[in-house]
Amino acid sequence: MSDEPRDAVDEPNAPDAPESDVQEEVAPDPVATLETEVADLKDRLLRARADYDNLVKRHARDAALERERVKARVLEGFLQVYEYGRMAAVEADKEPGPLAEGVKMIVREFDRLLEGEGVTVTGKVGDAFDKELHEAIAEEPGDVAPGSISRVVAPGYRLGDRVLRYATVAVAPGA
């Protein structure tokens, strides 16, 4: 063997030589880490904002539905009083005077109020019978097409798509 000194780099087991099995840890890039955190926070913020917007919309929709339910309940309560007023107005026409005029004024005011709230009357003579709007109590002939309403016993009322009270009717036989 030679007496020449060898470089420590050439020796595979030299203590100063880097080992090939050990990976050198690379410090994470702080800018990349912050960019990732910002992207995550933006995503979370956008999702939270969307959830909040949906909550506000759902609350507004639920509040509007509840207002409509309450409105319908209140109007349903007045319908029988309104019907009594209409009957009184018919009887009042038989004996004209200030009392008859007062009753008619009250009925006209009820008409105006119900119309202003969007209440519509259902069940008129000649209308086609619709089981979703009318309650048939008899079959009676009339000057109407078969299957149409021949007589209205009590009118029905609707508020938009909601039936407040079904019309009580007699229907012409046939169909």
Side-chain angles (χ1 to χ4, degrees), residues 12 22 47 94 103 158 164 166:
V22 177
R47 289 176 189 276
K94 296 176 183 175
V103 171
R158 286 175 57 176
L164 298 177
Y166 294 92

Side-chain angles (χ1 to χ4, degrees), residues 121-125 127 133-134 149 151-157 167-169:
V121 178
T122 61
K124 296 179 179 141
V125 173
D127 287 354
L133 301 173
H134 310 122
I149 297 171
R151 181 170 59 96
V152 177
V153 177
Y157 299 94
T168 308
V169 299

Side-chain angles (χ1 to χ4, degrees), residues 17-127:
E19 291 185 21
S20 60
D21 293 346
V22 177
Q23 295 286 333
E24 199 175 303
E25 282 192 34
V26 178
D29 181 15
V31 173
T33 303
L34 289 175
E35 285 175 345
T36 303
E37 283 183 39
V38 166
D40 181 52
L41 289 173
K42 274 185 177 178
D43 182 58
R44 289 173 50 197
L45 176 66
L46 289 173
R47 289 176 189 276
R49 180 62 189 198
D51 287 345
Y52 175 76
D53 289 344
N54 289 336
L55 178 68
V56 168
K57 289 174 188 174
R58 186 172 48 247
H59 177 70
R61 185 178 56 247
D62 291 348
L65 287 172
E66 183 59 24
R67 280 191 301 276
E68 285 299 312
R69 278 193 289 270
V70 169
K71 181 179 175 179
R73 238 182 326 196
V74 169
L75 290 171
E76 284 172 1
F78 280 109
L79 289 178
Q80 192 60 49
V81 175
Y82 174 64
E83 286 298 313
Y84 290 149
R86 288 180 48 155
M87 287 186 253
V90 168
E91 291 300 315
D93 275 342
K94 296 176 183 175
E95 294 187 34
L99 183 60
E101 287 305 311
V103 171
K104 287 189 231 177
M105 285 173 49
I106 291 170
V107 171
R108 280 194 302 270
E109 190 62 26
F110 258 113
D111 286 337
R112 187 187 66 72
L113 175 96
L114 292 174
E115 184 180 318
E117 292 299 323
V119 176
T120 56
V121 178
T122 61
K124 296 179 179 141
V125 173
D127 287 354

